[in-house]
Amino acid sequence: KARSDTRHFLAFYNSELSEWQREQNQLERELREALADGHFRLYLQPQFDGRGQLRGAEALIRWQHPQRGLLTPGDFIGVAERSGLIRPIGYWVLEQAADLLHGPLQDTCLMLSVNVSVHQLRDDDFLGHVTSLIRERQLAPERLVLEIVESLLVTPGVTSRLQALRRLGINLSLDDFGTGYSSLRYLQEFQVDEIKLDKVFIDPLQHQDDVPLARSIIALGKALGLRLVAEGVESAPQRQFLQKHGVDILQGYYLARPEPVPSFLDRL
Ligand code: C2E
Ligand code: MG
Ligand code: MG
Ligand code: MG
């Protein structure tokens, strides 16, 4: 009996697995088409300083899928990473950001933050790509921020590439700070310019006037001389707390949602 149960389970498990695999393969094919046919869209979520002044935006990718509508990264970044397609896709995002800094944002001092996957950082060509992008578009590198998340995949090669990017003048930001297993070790291992307090630390400020954990992370960032960004700001009390404690930059639905590029440019 036990054996036949196991066999049934395995049969079920295998069919589920291949079903999953089929979906992944299908998605991968569609991602390739999307890249070739220009179905990705750049959205920008405004970021504001403590006085409420627009100070830049985070670039967030969307996929205008011909059948399924506008997809957010949660629907496809995983497959993009596993298939390696995140490299060309990530490069597309970087190029879009560079075009904006070079074009419509040229006469402003706004900054653009771009999310970079560790898969991109493991690529030998990444540094060269970014360097030539900066040179071709004559960008001020200090207006570009690369957001990276903690990952077990950070190797010495990745670390030295990050430092090289920073020497170019690009800003590095630790995204989703505090949610990984080794946030503090990261701060020890390579230099960054900014930390982004993850939404999970901002959420409790909806209902509590003080959250010692959020306050401590802010104090830590300040002690290290880093710029502090809060993401996921959804209400007035949260904004008030963050302003009071000197968080430099705020981002969240309460202030502005991610929007297509033309809407963002209307703000200027
Ligand atoms: P992230 O970098 O932490 O980006 C913030 C996410 O939080 C965005 O989701 C944004 O829309 C959402 N958000 C912003 N403010 C609020 C708020 O007040 N409340 C709530 N509930 N959510 C808020 P999105 O656009 O779905 O992106 C999800 C993740 O996908 C990003 O997290 C980032 O890790 C990844 N991602 C986005 N674009 C790219 C990209 O171009 N390349 C790579 N490698 N990853 C990307
Ligand atoms: Mg980010
Ligand atoms: Mg984040
Ligand atoms: Mg996040």
Side-chain angles (χ1 to χ4, degrees):
K1 172 95 177 63
R3 185 171 297 166
S4 106
D5 278 356
T6 310
R7 206 158 46 225
H8 281 126
F9 172 75
L10 282 176
F12 171 74
Y13 182 77
N14 282 333
S15 74
E16 287 281 292
L17 202 64
S18 56
E19 172 67 25
W20 181 81
Q21 190 60 56
R22 254 197 310 282
E23 277 171 21
Q24 299 279 301
N25 294 346
Q26 167 74 11
L27 203 53
E28 187 182 328
R29 270 195 302 279
E30 290 181 353
L31 273 176
R32 277 182 211 285
E33 281 168 24
L35 202 52
D37 299 347
H39 289 167
F40 292 114
R41 299 285 177 269
L42 193 77
Y43 272 52
L44 295 174
Q45 185 174 30
Q47 297 181 327
F48 301 89
D49 69 16
R51 290 170 304 142
Q53 294 274 78
L54 184 67
R55 105 80 216 237
E58 177 175 8
L60 296 162
I61 193 172
R62 301 286 180 264
W63 177 4
Q64 187 64 59
H65 191 284
Q67 285 87 40
R68 295 198 283 147
L70 193 68
L71 303 180
T72 53
D75 298 319
F76 60 91
I77 287 287
V79 178
E81 294 197 325
R82 284 190 289 277
S83 62
L85 284 169
I86 192 66
R87 290 187 189 132
I89 294 172
Y91 188 65
W92 179 84
V93 176
L94 263 171
E95 254 185 325
Q96 299 297 305
D99 286 345
L100 282 169
L101 287 172
H102 177 69
L105 300 182
Q106 176 136 60
D107 297 327
T108 70
C109 46
L110 298 178
M111 314 212 8
L112 284 184
S113 299
V114 173
N115 294 283
V116 171
S117 155
V118 74
H119 295 268
Q120 288 173 268
L121 291 168
R122 287 202 296 171
D123 187 353
D124 288 332
D125 296 334
F126 185 70
L127 199 58
H129 272 320
V130 176
T131 311
S132 42
L133 210 52
I134 287 179
R135 203 178 307 125
E136 283 162 19
R137 310 291 206 285
Q138 295 162 304
L139 300 186
E142 64 278 3
R143 290 180 54 199
L144 185 64
V145 183
L146 298 184
E147 295 190 5
I148 49 172
V149 289
E150 283 174 46
S151 154
L152 296 174
L153 303 175
V154 171
T155 58
V158 167
T159 307
S160 68
R161 229 160 266 146
L162 285 171
Q163 294 313 296
L165 287 163
R166 201 158 172 271
R167 279 195 300 274
L168 287 176
I170 291 171
N171 285 267
L172 295 185
S173 174
L174 270 186
D175 201 355
D176 302 343
F177 184 78
T179 60
Y181 292 107
S182 48
S183 307
L184 297 180
R185 234 192 94 196
Y186 269 55
L187 291 179
Q188 165 106 326
E189 235 147 80
F190 50 84
Q191 285 189 302
V192 297
D193 303 278
E194 169 185 296
I195 55 183
K196 280 190 99 167
L197 255 108
D198 193 74
K199 184 174 176 299
V200 297
F201 301 109
I202 310 297
D203 284 341
L205 296 166
Q206 298 261 37
H207 317 287
Q208 292 160 248
D209 328 328
D210 186 25
V211 174
L213 189 53
R215 204 160 23 82
S216 309
I217 301 176
I218 295 168
L220 170 74
K222 290 203 169 288
L224 295 171
L226 301 174
R227 188 166 58 230
L228 282 154
V229 183
E231 65 180 349
V233 181
E234 291 184 341
S235 68
Q238 291 174 318
R239 178 174 66 178
Q240 209 180 350
F241 177 95
L242 296 163
Q243 280 172 333
K244 181 172 131 199
H245 288 90
V247 169
D248 305 285
I249 295 157
L250 309 187
Q251 179 184 347
Y253 291 173
Y254 180 69
L255 303 156
R257 291 191 173 245
E259 57 195 18
V261 172
S263 315
F264 180 80
L265 295 178
D266 281 346
R267 294 173 181 274
L268 305 182

